[in-house]
Amino acid sequence: MQSLVKLYQIKANPPSLADNTGDLDRLKKSLAAVLESKTLVVPFSRIAPVAKAFRHSGFKGFAVVAHYPSGPQLIDFYAEAPEFLVGMALDLGTTHLEASLINLLNGKVLARAAEVNGQLEFGADILARIHFAQTKVGERVGLDLLHERVIESIHKLASELAGQIKLKTSEIVALSVSGNTTMVHFFLKQNPYHLCREPYIPVVNGPDPFLAFELGLGLHPGAIVWVMPSIGSYFGGDLISGILASELDQQDTTCMLIDVGTNAEVVVGNRDWLIACAGAAGPALEGGVARMGMRAGIGAIEHCSIDPESGKFSYQTIGEGPVKGICGSGVIDLVAGLYLARIIDIRGKFSPGQKQAKGRIIEQEDGLAYVVVPAAEAHGGKAVLLSQIDIDALMRSKAAMYSILTTITNQVGVAFKDLHHIYVAGAFGKHISPRQAIVLGMLPDLPLEIYKPLGNSSLAGAEMILNEASVRERCRMVVAKITYVELNVNQEFMIRFSGSRFIPHTDHALFPSVPFHDES
């Protein structure tokens, strides 16, 4: 194990009239011998505190060394070996931040927590925040406010995590960050203006590691910050983390990785080659498709079913208590169930005359809606509804999702049946029913054992970076190996999108396991 920050035991001869070597020079000389390195650096801000700690410890103890790609940097000195040497792994999400504390001495997770991204007040989605970054609020620039909010959110998260194990945030000696390209720009206070404008160029794809205090992060003053590199505007470090966590880059067989969040990001490949793309299918699948949509959390319907003959509806929520809304996996189950019960047709349009829909379809100002949970059973006495507008939005998202998958596989001549595994990351992968997604025509019609949920692979990748030098090297190699396809200007994607806006598809032969409703 080669953690990002390590302890090295040092015992040096004390100074004397015969040996007037400076305190820090003495420490560097002893440490260089242990590290077998001639490039050992001490950041200027750490000269005085490290030299002082070394002298006070009697010129023996434990050097704290951060391993940068350019070489080791000495950041502190302890008289005694600590119980924990703590690093923080961070999934820098658009709506939520999730993090863990890792004991770098043994790689074990010490604590985990999540925090709402404070940037939400400036826009629910990435595009809104990119535009806000260019505006002025009084004398302040939007980018400054976005940066401040995300740093504040990280501070809250670090404080909560440190409190769980009774440490100070100033004892966190490393931070690894995994997020999409735009969120990383906000974190680094870099202008995102060109991210959403052709040819979609970031300020930086692979920022070099730096000291935490340079961003005003309240961690150890010598803490190293390692940011996962991105490939482009719509392919961020969170997907690089997913590749590492799934070991897609180590596979002998060809596999696929799907990560649905702000965008739907897809990678296909194996140890020899990787090809990737990203497209705007994510927000709807996170629960944003419906007005009663919500993220997977307490009170959300995560699974539901409709009896195809009787129309009887049943559901399962996350946690206990009344229903607050429905998350992405619940919406997928629901619309698939509506189709199988013939309450909606292949276009996703309501068929209110069906007996299975009796008592469930109501007329609203903007059209028909299906009553998912009546007001009497729902939180706050407000019924949970799925409208025709909501279904239309899901139809667009599911069409985009399948089109992304078919376009990327077609780029390399790989058929879906050739895929050994399809890894599905994030909350989408954790909660989704692959079978119902197949019914909708969102995922390819393959045996269910092909689909492997990964959980939060963005956080998992950040944790791996803290613990292993081999993973950090793999990260560099993955970035060099990936071919990225820009879907924003891909005509094949647009053609496939049109054919995918039916349940399950205009070409039903692609989905032989899904019942076909002949509505001619």
Side-chain angles (χ1 to χ4, degrees), residues 301-323:
I301 296 174
E302 66 170 336
H303 290 298
C304 58
S305 62
I306 300 173
D307 185 276
E309 299 301 322
S310 68
K312 182 181 178 181
F313 180 77
S314 59
Y315 61 87
Q316 173 187 331
T317 58
I318 299 173
E320 299 178 357
V323 177

Side-chain angles (χ1 to χ4, degrees), residues 169-464:
T169 56
S170 60
E171 295 178 83
I172 299 173
V173 297
L175 172 66
S176 59
V177 180
S178 175
N180 66 56
T181 308
T182 305
M183 280 304 306
V184 167
H185 274 56
F186 294 145
F187 172 66
L188 298 176
K189 204 174 178 180
Q190 300 299 314
N191 190 346
Y193 180 84
H194 294 286
L195 293 179
C196 62
R197 292 168 173 84
E198 194 173 339
Y200 316 107
I201 305 299
V203 172
V204 58
N205 274 323
D208 294 319
F210 56 91
L211 291 167
F213 88 88
E214 294 181 81
L215 273 187
L217 291 165
L219 309 179
H220 185 286
I224 178 176
V225 180
W226 182 294
V227 179
M228 295 294 292
S230 62
I231 300 297
S233 292
Y234 298 101
F235 188 109
D238 50 350
L239 196 56
I240 300 294
S241 285
I243 293 170
L244 298 175
S246 65
E247 297 189 331
L248 193 69
D249 61 313
Q250 306 286 290
Q251 305 274 0
D252 292 323
T253 54
T254 301
C255 299
M256 175 183 282
L257 168 67
I258 303 172
D259 189 352
V260 179
T262 302
N263 293 301
E265 299 161 325
V266 182
V267 186
V268 178
N270 51 45
R271 65 190 306 167
D272 297 319
W273 58 270
L274 296 167
I275 186 169
C277 67
L285 307 184
E286 283 190 308
V289 64
R291 277 166 288 187
M292 295 302 295
M294 59 183 288
R295 285 178 62 87
I298 301 299
I301 296 174
E302 66 170 336
H303 290 298
C304 58
S305 62
I306 300 173
D307 185 276
E309 299 301 322
S310 68
K312 182 181 178 181
F313 180 77
S314 59
Y315 61 87
Q316 173 187 331
T317 58
I318 299 173
E320 299 178 357
V323 177
K324 295 179 180 178
I326 185 166
C327 66
S329 59
V331 172
I332 290 168
D333 282 3
L334 176 57
V335 178
L338 291 172
Y339 170 75
L340 293 174
R342 300 192 178 210
I343 298 172
I344 60 173
D345 61 21
I346 61 173
R347 300 168 302 155
K349 303 300 181 183
F350 279 118
S351 303
Q354 295 290 334
K355 66 177 183 177
Q356 295 92 331
K358 186 177 181 181
R360 288 276 183 178
I361 303 292
I362 63 171
E363 182 79 43
Q364 299 187 110
E365 288 185 5
D366 56 359
L368 299 176
Y370 181 86
V371 179
V372 182
V373 178
E377 299 176 28
H379 178 79
K382 185 177 181 181
V384 177
L385 307 173
L386 187 78
S387 71
Q388 184 64 66
I389 293 172
D390 297 331
I391 295 175
D392 292 345
L394 179 66
M395 293 293 285
R396 290 190 295 272
S397 285
K398 81 93 182 175
M401 183 72 170
Y402 189 75
S403 302
I404 291 168
L405 302 184
T406 51
T407 300
I408 195 68
T409 50
N410 190 57
Q411 290 283 319
V412 286
V414 173
F416 287 135
K417 64 181 177 60
D418 298 328
L419 298 174
H420 186 66
H421 287 307
I422 297 178
Y423 299 99
V424 191
F428 180 71
K430 181 179 180 182
H431 296 279
I432 190 179
S433 165
R435 178 58 201 162
Q436 300 302 74
I438 289 169
V439 168
L440 284 183
M442 179 181 292
L443 294 178
D445 196 349
L446 297 170
L448 297 184
E449 59 269 21
I450 295 291
Y451 293 95
K452 303 291 182 183
L454 275 186
N456 191 340
S457 59
S458 178
L459 182 60
E463 291 175 348
M464 294 167 69

Side-chain angles (χ1 to χ4, degrees), residues 435 438 445 508 511-515:
R435 178 58 201 162
I438 289 169
D445 196 349
H508 194 267
F511 293 85
S513 74
V514 179

